[in-house]
Amino acid sequence: MAFVSPTKRDQNGSYTFSSRPRPVEDRSKYREPPSEQTQSNYGNIMYDRRVVRGNTYAQQIIPTTALPDPVEVQRQQETRRRTVAAKRAREQCRTRTPEALQGRKHIDVQTDLYLEELSDVIVASDIECQTDAFLDKPDTPLFIPAKSGKDVETQIEEGELFDFDTEVQALLEVLVGKTVEQSLEEVMEEEELAGLRAQQRAFRELRNNELEEVLRLKEQERRRSKEKERRVAQQKEVLRKEREVAEKIAARAYTQQYLADLLPAVFTSLRSHGYFYDPVEKDIETNFFPWLMAEVNNSLEKRYTARALLDTIIDDVAHKRQEAFKDTQ
Amino acid sequence: MAGSPYDPSRAPVAYGRRAVPQLFSELQQQEAPRRMRALASLCDLLRDPERISCTVSGGFLEQLKVLLKDEDSIVRAKTCELIHLLTAHRIGRQALLSSSFLPHLSELMDDSSSSCRRNVQRVLNRLTLMPAGAEALLTLVPKLMLKLREEEEEEEEDVQVLLLSTLSSCSCLDPLPALASDGVSLLLHKLSDSSTDIRREATAALMVLSVCEDGMRQVCEEEVLPVLVDLLRDEDVEVQANAAGVIMYAAIINEGKRQCLELDVIPILLSLVSQDGEEEKDKERKKALVMYSLRALTALAEAPQGRCLLLEQLPLLGRRSEAAEEDQDIRRNAQNAVRVITWTPCNTGDL
C-alpha cells in the first residue's frame, strides 16, 4: 500500500514530496490475472486515461474555466452521445465469426510458416555458477600513470619577495616599543605607589609626633589643673580650719566668763532651795512635828466629839423639856 | 601569557571587551579543571585596572561569592588571590565593601588550607587601606586577635605579619576593640619573637594602641616597658623607632614616667639621639627614631628625677637644637625638649 505523505510546504516555502518506500509485488514472469483483485489506488501510468497519449501538436486544449459554458457543455454532451451511438452502431454492423455448427468447435490454429509450441509450462533451465577459489596473486604494482603534460618549476630567490631586515624592523619596533612602554608604565606606577607610601609614612611619623605633643600637653594641663584644684582645696581647708579655731577660742572665752560667777550663784541657789540643811532641825521637822500635830489633832478631835455629844444631849434634853412643857400646857 | 594555546593551565581569553565576561561564564561550568583554568586566566587579566572596572561594573562579584564556598581548596585560594588583585584599586575595594564580602571572608579565615588563609589575610590587609574598609573591619578585630593567638602554633610568619598590620590599621581608627580583647598582652608576647618583621609590626600595633589613655594604662600595667627598653637596642631601625614611639606615649601618664625612670631609660634614649657621624641615608631612616626619642625625653623631663638627669645632659640636646641641624622637625623637637627641661615654676607667667 503506498503511503504518500501530504505535500507540505517546507519552512522555507519550498515544495516537498515524500512517499513511503513500498516493496515490489512479486509476480510471475508471464503474468496471470491475480486471484484476487487487489484494490490499488495506483495504476499503471501507461493505462491511465488522464494521461495524454499520442501526438500533442494538434491536441485540443481543455479550457480551464471553472464554469464551462452551458452551451459548450451541451454540445460536448451531444458529441459524446453521438460518438457512443456511432460506436454501438458500428459494433452491431461488424461481422463476426459465425457460430460453430453443432458438434463442432472453433479452435485456434497457427497458420504461420513455422509452428510454435504453445504450452503453459515455461521452459526453465537451472544454471549454476561458482567463482573459483581465490588464488594467491602478487601485489598489484603501484599505479604510476604515465607522465603527461609539461613540467614547470619555479623558485623564489633571495630578496625577491621581501627584505626581511627592513620589514622586520617595523614589527620589532612596535613589539619592543609596546613591551617597553608597558613595562615603563608599570615601573612608574610602582614608583608612584612607593612614593605615595613613603609620603604616607612620613606623614604618619609627623602625625605621631604631633599627636604625642598634643597628648603630653593635654596630660600636663590635666596635671596642672588638678594640682591647682588641689592647692585651692587645700587653701580652702586651711581657711576653714582657721575660722573654726577662731570660733573655738571665742567660745572658750565666753564660757569662761560666763562660768566665772557660776559657782557662788549655784551655791546660793542651792542653799535657797534648801539643799544644805541642819539634820537635827530636819529631823525634828520631819519626824517630831507631824507626830505632835497628829496628837494635838487627835486630842482636839476628842474634845470636839465630846462637845458634839454634849450638844446633842443638851439638845435632846431641851426638846424633851419643851415637849413636856407643851404637854403640860 | 594568558590565552596562549600552548599553556594548558590557562583558559583561552577572548578579545577585547568579551574577555572578562566570557571567562566568568566559563567559571560557571561544572567541570573543575575548566574553572581552574578560567581562574588562572582571570588572575593574569585582573592586574589591569580597566579589567577590574569591567569586572565590577559587570556585576560578576556574586559569582566570586559562590566560588568562595567551593569544595576544592585550590579554587578557594585562587578566588582569594583574584579578590586580592581586585583590592589593588579603589573601585575594587569599594565594590567589595558594598557587596558585603566580609562575612564570607571571615569564614574563610578558618579555612583548612594555609594558602587560602594567607590570601584572605592579604585581602583584609589591603581593605584597611581605605577608612571605610578599616571601619568595616573593626567588627572583625576580636576574631583577628583570636587568629593571632592560634597562629603561633602553626608558625606562619607572613600570615602573622599580615594580621598584625591589619590590626594596626584598624586600630588607627578606633583602638578600643583591640584593647578590650586583651590586645596588649598578646602583642607583648609577639614582641619577643625572633622574626624582625613580626617585631616591627607588633611594635607598630602597640604604638597605635597606646595612643588612647586606656592603652597607655594597660601598657604600664602589663609590664611591657622592660621589653620595649630591650627593643630599643634592636638591630632594625624601624623596630627601634616603634619601640621609642610606644615609650613616648607611655611616658605621658605618671605611671609610665615612674616605670621609665625606674628602668633607667634616659641614657639609652640620649644615646639614640646623639648619634653623630651618620651618613645621609641613615639620617633619613633614623629621623623617626630621633624624633620619638626626643619626645620621650620631653615627656620624662616633666618628672623631677628626669629633669635632674636631663639638666646635666643639656649640651647634647642643645647641639641638636641648633641651626646646624638640617631637619626642621628634629630641631623643633629638640628646642621643645630643652624648653621643658629648663622650665621652672617662676618662669611661666601662668600656672
Side-chain angles (χ1 to χ4, degrees):
Chain A
M1 216 72 69
F3 176 72
V4 176
S5 75
T7 63
K8 54 181 180 213
R9 293 283 154 188
D10 206 12
Q11 275 155 353
N12 299 342
S14 64
Y15 168 80
T16 61
F17 169 82
S18 61
S19 74
R20 251 204 183 155
R22 49 189 194 267
V24 177
E25 283 180 11
D26 52 53
R27 295 189 285 244
S28 52
K29 191 171 171 184
Y30 298 102
R31 200 190 324 175
E32 279 172 5
S35 49
E36 45 190 26
Q37 284 288 348
T38 49
Q39 286 294 84
S40 52
N41 299 339
Y42 66 91
N44 197 339
I45 199 174
M46 299 292 286
Y47 299 100
D48 200 350
R49 294 175 62 189
R50 297 171 289 189
V51 176
V52 170
R53 305 193 62 83
N55 197 351
T56 55
Y57 287 120
Q59 193 72 298
Q60 296 276 355
I61 301 164
I62 306 169
T64 54
T65 47
L67 288 164
D69 206 4
V71 176
E72 272 295 324
V73 167
Q74 221 170 8
R75 214 181 294 148
Q76 279 174 13
Q77 281 174 352
E78 277 279 329
T79 44
R80 234 179 275 139
R81 244 180 270 132
R82 240 181 265 133
T83 46
V84 165
K87 195 169 167 193
R88 217 178 290 135
R90 251 184 284 129
E91 277 287 321
Q92 277 184 346
C93 298
R94 210 180 95 189
T95 46
R96 291 197 171 79
T97 323
E99 292 285 336
L101 292 173
Q102 196 107 36
R104 296 192 194 173
K105 204 166 63 164
H106 285 303
I107 217 171
D108 288 326
V109 153
Q110 292 183 13
T111 52
D112 295 330
L113 207 53
Y114 298 101
L115 294 174
E116 190 183 322
E117 186 188 340
L118 301 169
S119 76
D120 280 340
V121 176
I122 302 157
V123 171
S125 61
D126 287 324
I127 301 182
E128 345 185 311
C129 181
Q130 172 71 31
T131 53
D132 292 331
F134 276 122
L135 298 168
D136 284 333
K137 79 175 205 313
D139 298 325
T140 46
L142 212 57
F143 173 62
I144 299 171
K147 181 177 159 322
S148 67
K150 223 160 64 155
D151 278 336
V152 178
E153 64 175 63
T154 176
Q155 171 76 12
I156 300 177
E157 302 292 335
E158 283 259 350
E160 273 183 19
L161 260 188
F162 58 82
D163 180 17
F164 181 73
D165 290 328
T166 40
E167 301 289 330
V168 89
Q169 194 176 13
L171 280 173
L172 267 182
E173 266 178 26
V174 170
L175 280 173
V176 173
K178 277 237 178 293
T179 319
V180 169
E181 198 182 307
Q182 178 90 1
S183 37
L184 273 178
E185 260 186 40
E186 288 183 7
V187 166
M188 280 204 304
E189 209 179 87
E190 279 176 21
E191 266 185 23
E192 195 181 328
L193 279 176
L196 280 175
R197 239 176 258 136
Q199 210 180 28
Q200 258 182 349
R201 208 186 39 214
F203 170 75
R204 217 178 302 138
E205 284 167 13
L206 283 178
R207 180 180 173 267
N208 274 330
N209 211 18
E210 298 303 322
L211 192 63
E212 196 273 344
E213 178 76 6
V214 162
L215 289 177
R216 188 181 65 82
L217 287 174
K218 210 161 70 164
E219 179 70 19
Q220 197 185 53
E221 199 51 45
R222 191 190 65 90
R223 269 204 316 267
R224 290 205 179 150
S225 64
K226 269 241 165 64
E227 187 65 26
K228 220 194 297 190
E229 266 173 40
R230 236 179 289 142
R231 294 227 178 146
V232 162
Q234 214 174 36
Q235 199 66 14
K236 277 208 183 103
E237 188 71 16
V238 161
L239 283 175
R240 191 182 64 84
K241 282 217 160 81
E242 270 184 16
R243 204 171 36 238
E244 219 176 282
V245 166
E247 275 180 10
K248 276 189 182 161
I249 291 176
R252 188 169 177 277
Y254 174 69
T255 38
Q256 255 185 348
Q257 186 224 3
Y258 179 70
L259 294 177
D261 53 336
L262 180 69
L263 213 55
V266 162
F267 274 122
T268 35
S269 130
L270 276 179
R271 198 168 290 127
S272 69
H273 279 93
Y275 283 95
F276 299 116
Y277 56 83
D278 186 14
V280 171
E281 201 180 326
K282 181 106 176 160
D283 189 41
I284 294 177
E285 273 182 22
T286 43
N287 292 335
F288 180 65
F289 273 117
W291 174 80
L292 189 66
M293 294 304 295
E295 292 301 312
V296 164
N297 235 4
N298 278 346
S299 70
L300 279 178
E301 283 270 341
K302 278 185 200 151
R303 280 213 190 150
Y304 287 143
T305 18
R307 280 190 193 156
L309 198 62
L310 195 61
D311 274 341
T312 38
I313 293 173
I314 295 175
D315 194 37
D316 246 349
V317 166
H319 270 296
K320 274 192 185 128
R321 289 237 175 123
Q322 194 186 24
E323 277 168 27
F325 185 62
K326 265 188 200 168
D327 282 337
T328 59
Q329 292 263 319
Chain B
M1 214 242 12
S4 128
Y6 311 119
D7 190 354
S9 66
R10 302 261 196 278
V13 173
Y15 181 76
R17 270 188 320 168
R18 283 293 307 162
V20 170
Q22 195 253 349
L23 281 173
F24 268 103
S25 60
E26 262 299 294
L27 276 181
Q28 281 174 331
Q29 302 299 328
Q30 289 305 316
E31 300 121 25
R34 283 174 75 175
R35 281 189 288 182
M36 274 304 304
R37 288 201 292 268
L39 275 174
S41 301
L42 267 176
C43 283
D44 281 341
L45 276 183
L46 281 189
R47 293 176 198 275
D48 186 7
E50 293 196 15
R51 305 279 188 205
I52 294 183
S53 73
C54 175
T55 316
V56 164
S57 54
F60 296 116
L61 290 180
E62 300 297 321
Q63 258 183 287
L64 289 180
K65 266 197 223 176
V66 171
L67 276 176
L68 279 176
K69 296 200 187 42
D70 199 87
E71 293 129 6
D72 190 3
S73 67
I74 309 180
V75 168
R76 287 198 299 263
K78 270 280 177 198
T79 317
C80 288
E81 203 183 308
L82 246 177
I83 299 178
H84 172 67
L85 288 171
L86 274 178
T87 53
H89 288 267
R90 183 187 57 91
I91 322 165
R93 288 196 287 266
Q94 268 176 343
L96 279 179
L97 282 175
S98 56
S99 22
S100 70
F101 260 79
L102 278 181
H104 304 271
L105 288 173
S106 66
E107 270 175 50
L108 272 181
M109 278 208 282
D110 301 316
D111 198 76
S112 48
S113 125
S114 70
S115 63
C116 199
R117 285 196 299 260
R118 193 177 302 122
N119 284 339
V120 167
Q121 292 305 331
R122 281 207 198 113
V123 168
L124 290 176
N125 197 25
R126 280 262 185 90
L127 273 180
T128 56
L129 282 175
M130 38 190 279
E135 210 176 302
L137 281 184
L138 272 179
T139 49
L140 279 182
V141 160
K143 183 147 187 196
L144 287 172
M145 309 218 60
L146 199 66
K147 277 275 129 194
L148 256 183
R149 266 182 256 266
E150 293 170 4
E151 207 60 53
E152 289 175 38
E153 295 117 39
E154 311 186 12
E155 295 177 25
E156 294 255 8
E157 186 189 303
D158 44 355
V159 178
Q160 287 193 45
V161 169
L162 285 167
L163 274 168
L164 283 167
S165 95
T166 315
L167 264 176
S168 46
S169 311
C170 287
S171 307
C172 272
L173 214 58
D174 185 10
L176 292 175
L179 282 172
S181 340
D182 209 13
V184 173
S185 55
L186 175 63
L187 289 171
L188 170 61
H189 192 81
K190 298 278 173 200
L191 285 179
S192 37
D193 201 281
S194 49
S195 144
T196 315
D197 287 331
I198 294 189
R199 269 177 299 165
R200 191 186 60 226
E201 291 296 331
T203 42
L206 207 55
M207 189 158 77
V208 170
L209 283 183
S210 55
V211 162
C212 80
E213 207 181 297
D214 214 5
M216 287 181 218
R217 236 178 339 103
Q218 279 194 23
V219 161
C220 295
E221 280 168 21
E222 308 259 357
E223 313 275 343
V224 182
L225 286 170
V227 185
L228 287 171
V229 170
D230 283 330
L231 282 180
L232 277 179
R233 289 184 273 252
D234 199 87
E235 308 132 351
D236 188 39
V237 174
E238 287 213 32
V239 176
Q240 283 177 313
N242 288 340
V246 183
I247 293 181
M248 124 183 133
Y249 280 118
I252 291 179
I253 56 173
N254 289 342
E255 182 60 28
K257 285 200 237 274
R258 190 184 62 80
Q259 282 194 15
C260 285
L261 288 168
E262 273 177 25
L263 293 166
D264 206 15
V265 107
I266 294 189
I268 309 177
L269 288 171
L270 283 170
S271 67
L272 284 172
V273 165
S274 72
Q275 274 158 5
D276 295 315
E278 310 159 337
E279 307 143 18
E280 261 313 309
K281 71 170 174 62
D282 260 359
K283 277 209 171 117
E284 271 295 319
R285 290 171 57 215
K286 290 204 173 170
K287 175 176 164 178
L289 177 59
V290 171
M291 281 205 304
Y292 295 160
S293 314
L294 282 171
R295 289 275 183 220
L297 286 170
T298 318
L300 287 174
E302 290 182 349
Q305 303 107 306
R307 189 173 298 137
C308 289
L309 284 170
L310 284 170
L311 272 174
E312 300 158 15
Q313 305 290 336
L314 259 185
L316 198 134
L317 289 167
R319 244 180 293 139
R320 277 279 181 175
S321 62
E322 275 163 21
E325 177 68 44
E326 294 116 19
D327 201 331
Q328 206 188 38
D329 301 309
I330 298 188
R331 190 158 20 122
R332 214 178 23 216
N333 279 10
Q335 283 169 350
N336 206 12
V338 168
R339 193 173 54 232
V340 171
I341 294 174
T342 50
W343 176 84
T344 53
C346 47
N347 267 359
T348 54
D350 63 323
L351 178 58

Short mmCIF file of all heavy atoms in Angstrom, two decimals, chain A residues 111-147:
data_model
loop_
_atom_site.label_atom_id
_atom_site.label_comp_id
_atom_site.label_asym_id
_atom_site.label_seq_id
_atom_site.Cartn_x
_atom_site.Cartn_y
_atom_site.Cartn_z
N THR A 111 -1.25 -20.55 -38.24
CA THR A 111 -1.17 -20.62 -39.69
C THR A 111 0.14 -20.11 -40.22
O THR A 111 0.31 -19.94 -41.41
CB THR A 111 -2.29 -19.78 -40.33
OG1 THR A 111 -2.19 -18.47 -39.73
CG2 THR A 111 -3.64 -20.36 -40.07
N ASP A 112 1.06 -19.91 -39.25
CA ASP A 112 2.35 -19.39 -39.73
C ASP A 112 3.13 -20.49 -40.41
O ASP A 112 2.77 -21.67 -40.35
CB ASP A 112 3.16 -18.82 -38.56
CG ASP A 112 2.47 -17.62 -37.98
OD1 ASP A 112 1.77 -16.89 -38.70
OD2 ASP A 112 2.66 -17.37 -36.73
N LEU A 113 4.24 -20.02 -40.97
CA LEU A 113 5.07 -20.98 -41.66
C LEU A 113 5.74 -21.92 -40.71
O LEU A 113 5.81 -23.13 -40.92
CB LEU A 113 6.13 -20.21 -42.47
CG LEU A 113 6.69 -20.88 -43.72
CD1 LEU A 113 5.58 -21.34 -44.67
CD2 LEU A 113 7.60 -19.92 -44.47
N TYR A 114 6.19 -21.26 -39.69
CA TYR A 114 6.90 -22.06 -38.68
C TYR A 114 6.01 -22.18 -37.48
O TYR A 114 5.59 -21.19 -36.91
CB TYR A 114 8.22 -21.41 -38.31
CG TYR A 114 9.16 -21.31 -39.48
CD1 TYR A 114 9.32 -20.10 -40.17
CD2 TYR A 114 9.85 -22.43 -39.97
CE1 TYR A 114 10.15 -20.01 -41.25
CE2 TYR A 114 10.68 -22.34 -41.07
CZ TYR A 114 10.85 -21.12 -41.72
OH TYR A 114 11.67 -21.04 -42.79
N LEU A 115 5.75 -23.41 -37.07
CA LEU A 115 4.85 -23.62 -35.93
C LEU A 115 5.58 -23.37 -34.65
O LEU A 115 6.77 -23.59 -34.52
CB LEU A 115 4.34 -25.06 -35.95
CG LEU A 115 3.45 -25.40 -37.15
CD1 LEU A 115 3.13 -26.88 -37.14
CD2 LEU A 115 2.18 -24.57 -37.15
N GLU A 116 4.78 -22.93 -33.73
CA GLU A 116 5.34 -22.63 -32.41
C GLU A 116 4.61 -23.46 -31.41
O GLU A 116 3.38 -23.56 -31.43
CB GLU A 116 5.16 -21.13 -32.14
CG GLU A 116 5.88 -20.62 -30.93
CD GLU A 116 5.57 -19.15 -30.74
OE1 GLU A 116 5.45 -18.38 -31.73
OE2 GLU A 116 5.36 -18.75 -29.55
N GLU A 117 5.34 -24.06 -30.52
CA GLU A 117 4.68 -24.86 -29.49
C GLU A 117 4.15 -23.92 -28.42
O GLU A 117 4.89 -23.10 -27.88
CB GLU A 117 5.68 -25.85 -28.90
CG GLU A 117 5.03 -26.80 -27.94
CD GLU A 117 6.09 -27.61 -27.23
OE1 GLU A 117 7.22 -27.71 -27.75
OE2 GLU A 117 5.82 -28.11 -26.12
N LEU A 118 2.85 -24.05 -28.16
CA LEU A 118 2.26 -23.25 -27.10
C LEU A 118 2.02 -24.13 -25.91
O LEU A 118 1.41 -25.17 -26.03
CB LEU A 118 0.92 -22.66 -27.52
CG LEU A 118 0.90 -21.76 -28.75
CD1 LEU A 118 -0.53 -21.51 -29.16
CD2 LEU A 118 1.59 -20.46 -28.42
N SER A 119 2.54 -23.76 -24.85
CA SER A 119 2.26 -24.54 -23.64
C SER A 119 2.28 -23.64 -22.42
O SER A 119 2.84 -22.56 -22.45
CB SER A 119 3.30 -25.65 -23.50
OG SER A 119 4.50 -25.08 -23.04
N ASP A 120 1.66 -24.12 -21.37
CA ASP A 120 1.70 -23.36 -20.11
C ASP A 120 3.01 -23.50 -19.42
O ASP A 120 3.42 -22.64 -18.66
CB ASP A 120 0.58 -23.84 -19.18
CG ASP A 120 -0.74 -23.21 -19.60
OD1 ASP A 120 -0.69 -22.17 -20.31
OD2 ASP A 120 -1.79 -23.73 -19.19
N VAL A 121 3.55 -24.65 -19.68
CA VAL A 121 4.81 -24.90 -18.97
C VAL A 121 5.87 -24.01 -19.55
O VAL A 121 6.10 -23.98 -20.75
CB VAL A 121 5.20 -26.37 -19.12
CG1 VAL A 121 6.54 -26.61 -18.47
CG2 VAL A 121 4.12 -27.25 -18.52
N ILE A 122 6.45 -23.32 -18.68
CA ILE A 122 7.51 -22.41 -19.13
C ILE A 122 8.79 -23.18 -19.08
O ILE A 122 9.11 -23.82 -18.07
CB ILE A 122 7.59 -21.19 -18.24
CG1 ILE A 122 6.23 -20.48 -18.26
CG2 ILE A 122 8.68 -20.23 -18.64
CD1 ILE A 122 5.97 -19.64 -17.10
N VAL A 123 9.48 -23.09 -20.20
CA VAL A 123 10.76 -23.82 -20.21
C VAL A 123 11.70 -23.10 -19.29
O VAL A 123 11.94 -21.90 -19.40
CB VAL A 123 11.34 -23.84 -21.63
CG1 VAL A 123 12.73 -24.38 -21.62
CG2 VAL A 123 10.40 -24.62 -22.54
N ALA A 124 12.17 -23.84 -18.36
CA ALA A 124 13.13 -23.26 -17.40
C ALA A 124 14.31 -24.16 -17.30
O ALA A 124 14.19 -25.39 -17.36
CB ALA A 124 12.49 -23.09 -16.03
N SER A 125 15.39 -23.59 -17.20
CA SER A 125 16.60 -24.39 -17.01
C SER A 125 17.39 -23.79 -15.87
O SER A 125 17.43 -22.60 -15.69
CB SER A 125 17.43 -24.41 -18.30
OG SER A 125 17.82 -23.09 -18.63
N ASP A 126 18.00 -24.65 -15.10
CA ASP A 126 18.83 -24.19 -13.96
C ASP A 126 20.24 -24.08 -14.39
O ASP A 126 20.80 -24.99 -15.02
CB ASP A 126 18.74 -25.21 -12.82
CG ASP A 126 17.39 -25.13 -12.16
OD1 ASP A 126 16.86 -24.00 -12.05
OD2 ASP A 126 16.87 -26.19 -11.77
N ILE A 127 20.78 -23.01 -14.11
CA ILE A 127 22.21 -22.84 -14.40
C ILE A 127 22.86 -22.43 -13.09
O ILE A 127 22.33 -21.60 -12.36
CB ILE A 127 22.42 -21.75 -15.45
CG1 ILE A 127 21.70 -22.11 -16.74
CG2 ILE A 127 23.88 -21.46 -15.64
CD1 ILE A 127 21.91 -21.12 -17.84
N GLU A 128 23.99 -23.03 -12.80
CA GLU A 128 24.74 -22.55 -11.61
C GLU A 128 26.06 -22.02 -12.05
O GLU A 128 26.59 -22.37 -13.10
CB GLU A 128 25.05 -23.62 -10.58
CG GLU A 128 24.35 -24.85 -10.64
CD GLU A 128 24.74 -25.69 -9.45
OE1 GLU A 128 25.96 -25.83 -9.19
OE2 GLU A 128 23.83 -26.12 -8.75
N CYS A 129 26.49 -21.22 -11.18
CA CYS A 129 27.80 -20.63 -11.46
C CYS A 129 28.54 -20.55 -10.15
O CYS A 129 27.95 -20.33 -9.09
CB CYS A 129 27.59 -19.25 -12.07
SG CYS A 129 29.11 -18.45 -12.48
N GLN A 130 29.80 -20.72 -10.21
CA GLN A 130 30.58 -20.66 -8.96
C GLN A 130 31.91 -20.03 -9.30
O GLN A 130 32.55 -20.40 -10.27
CB GLN A 130 30.77 -22.07 -8.42
CG GLN A 130 31.72 -22.17 -7.24
CD GLN A 130 31.12 -21.59 -5.99
OE1 GLN A 130 29.92 -21.65 -5.82
NE2 GLN A 130 31.93 -21.00 -5.18
N THR A 131 32.26 -19.08 -8.43
CA THR A 131 33.56 -18.48 -8.71
C THR A 131 34.65 -19.40 -8.24
O THR A 131 34.48 -20.17 -7.30
CB THR A 131 33.71 -17.15 -7.97
OG1 THR A 131 33.44 -17.40 -6.59
CG2 THR A 131 32.72 -16.12 -8.48
N ASP A 132 35.78 -19.24 -8.86
CA ASP A 132 36.92 -20.05 -8.43
C ASP A 132 37.41 -19.55 -7.09
O ASP A 132 37.21 -18.40 -6.72
CB ASP A 132 38.06 -19.95 -9.44
CG ASP A 132 37.65 -20.63 -10.74
OD1 ASP A 132 36.83 -21.56 -10.65
OD2 ASP A 132 38.13 -20.17 -11.79
N ALA A 133 38.06 -20.42 -6.38
CA ALA A 133 38.67 -20.00 -5.11
C ALA A 133 39.73 -18.97 -5.40
O ALA A 133 40.34 -18.94 -6.47
CB ALA A 133 39.27 -21.20 -4.41
N PHE A 134 39.92 -18.11 -4.38
CA PHE A 134 40.89 -17.04 -4.60
C PHE A 134 42.27 -17.62 -4.76
O PHE A 134 42.73 -18.40 -3.96
CB PHE A 134 40.88 -16.07 -3.43
CG PHE A 134 39.83 -15.04 -3.53
CD1 PHE A 134 38.88 -14.90 -2.53
CD2 PHE A 134 39.76 -14.22 -4.64
CE1 PHE A 134 37.90 -13.93 -2.64
CE2 PHE A 134 38.78 -13.26 -4.75
CZ PHE A 134 37.83 -13.11 -3.74
N LEU A 135 42.93 -17.19 -5.79
CA LEU A 135 44.30 -17.62 -5.98
C LEU A 135 45.20 -16.56 -5.41
O LEU A 135 44.86 -15.38 -5.41
CB LEU A 135 44.61 -17.79 -7.48
CG LEU A 135 43.78 -18.85 -8.21
CD1 LEU A 135 43.99 -18.69 -9.71
CD2 LEU A 135 44.25 -20.23 -7.78
N ASP A 136 46.31 -17.01 -4.88
CA ASP A 136 47.28 -16.01 -4.42
C ASP A 136 47.78 -15.25 -5.60
O ASP A 136 48.25 -15.86 -6.58
CB ASP A 136 48.46 -16.70 -3.74
CG ASP A 136 48.05 -17.16 -2.36
OD1 ASP A 136 47.14 -16.53 -1.79
OD2 ASP A 136 48.61 -18.14 -1.88
N LYS A 137 47.65 -14.03 -5.52
CA LYS A 137 48.19 -13.26 -6.63
C LYS A 137 49.14 -12.24 -6.07
O LYS A 137 48.97 -11.75 -4.94
CB LYS A 137 47.07 -12.65 -7.45
CG LYS A 137 46.42 -11.41 -6.90
CD LYS A 137 45.42 -10.92 -7.96
CE LYS A 137 45.11 -9.51 -7.91
NZ LYS A 137 44.80 -8.66 -7.04
N PRO A 138 50.11 -11.87 -6.79
CA PRO A 138 51.09 -10.91 -6.28
C PRO A 138 50.44 -9.54 -6.14
O PRO A 138 49.40 -9.25 -6.73
CB PRO A 138 52.20 -10.91 -7.35
CG PRO A 138 51.50 -11.35 -8.60
CD PRO A 138 50.42 -12.30 -8.20
N ASP A 139 51.09 -8.66 -5.31
CA ASP A 139 50.55 -7.32 -5.12
C ASP A 139 50.49 -6.59 -6.42
O ASP A 139 51.39 -6.71 -7.26
CB ASP A 139 51.43 -6.52 -4.15
CG ASP A 139 51.45 -7.16 -2.79
OD1 ASP A 139 50.40 -7.73 -2.40
OD2 ASP A 139 52.51 -7.14 -2.13
N THR A 140 49.44 -5.85 -6.53
CA THR A 140 49.37 -5.09 -7.77
C THR A 140 50.45 -4.04 -7.75
O THR A 140 50.67 -3.40 -6.73
CB THR A 140 48.03 -4.37 -7.90
OG1 THR A 140 47.75 -3.73 -6.65
CG2 THR A 140 46.89 -5.34 -8.18
N PRO A 141 51.09 -3.86 -8.79
CA PRO A 141 52.17 -2.86 -8.80
C PRO A 141 51.56 -1.48 -8.66
O PRO A 141 50.40 -1.24 -9.01
CB PRO A 141 52.85 -3.06 -10.15
CG PRO A 141 51.80 -3.70 -10.99
CD PRO A 141 50.96 -4.52 -10.09
N LEU A 142 52.31 -0.60 -8.08
CA LEU A 142 51.86 0.76 -7.88
C LEU A 142 51.51 1.37 -9.22
O LEU A 142 52.26 1.23 -10.18
CB LEU A 142 52.98 1.55 -7.22
CG LEU A 142 52.55 2.67 -6.27
CD1 LEU A 142 51.68 2.10 -5.20
CD2 LEU A 142 53.77 3.30 -5.68
N PHE A 143 50.36 1.99 -9.22
CA PHE A 143 49.95 2.57 -10.49
C PHE A 143 50.65 3.90 -10.65
O PHE A 143 50.39 4.84 -9.91
CB PHE A 143 48.44 2.75 -10.50
CG PHE A 143 47.95 3.49 -11.70
CD1 PHE A 143 48.15 2.97 -12.98
CD2 PHE A 143 47.33 4.72 -11.56
CE1 PHE A 143 47.71 3.66 -14.08
CE2 PHE A 143 46.88 5.41 -12.68
CZ PHE A 143 47.06 4.89 -13.95
N ILE A 144 51.54 3.93 -11.52
CA ILE A 144 52.21 5.21 -11.82
C ILE A 144 51.76 5.58 -13.22
O ILE A 144 52.18 4.95 -14.21
CB ILE A 144 53.73 5.05 -11.75
CG1 ILE A 144 54.10 4.61 -10.33
CG2 ILE A 144 54.42 6.35 -12.09
CD1 ILE A 144 55.54 4.22 -10.19
N PRO A 145 50.93 6.58 -13.22
CA PRO A 145 50.46 6.92 -14.57
C PRO A 145 51.61 7.47 -15.39
O PRO A 145 52.56 8.03 -14.87
CB PRO A 145 49.39 7.99 -14.30
CG PRO A 145 49.74 8.55 -12.98
CD PRO A 145 50.39 7.47 -12.22
N ALA A 146 51.39 7.31 -16.61
CA ALA A 146 52.45 7.80 -17.47
C ALA A 146 52.53 9.29 -17.37
O ALA A 146 51.55 9.98 -17.11
CB ALA A 146 52.15 7.36 -18.90
N LYS A 147 53.67 9.75 -17.52
CA LYS A 147 53.88 11.18 -17.40
C LYS A 147 53.16 11.89 -18.53
O LYS A 147 53.21 11.49 -19.69
CB LYS A 147 55.38 11.46 -17.48
CG LYS A 147 55.73 12.92 -17.34
CD LYS A 147 57.24 13.05 -17.35
CE LYS A 147 57.70 14.43 -17.72
NZ LYS A 147 56.97 15.12 -18.73
#
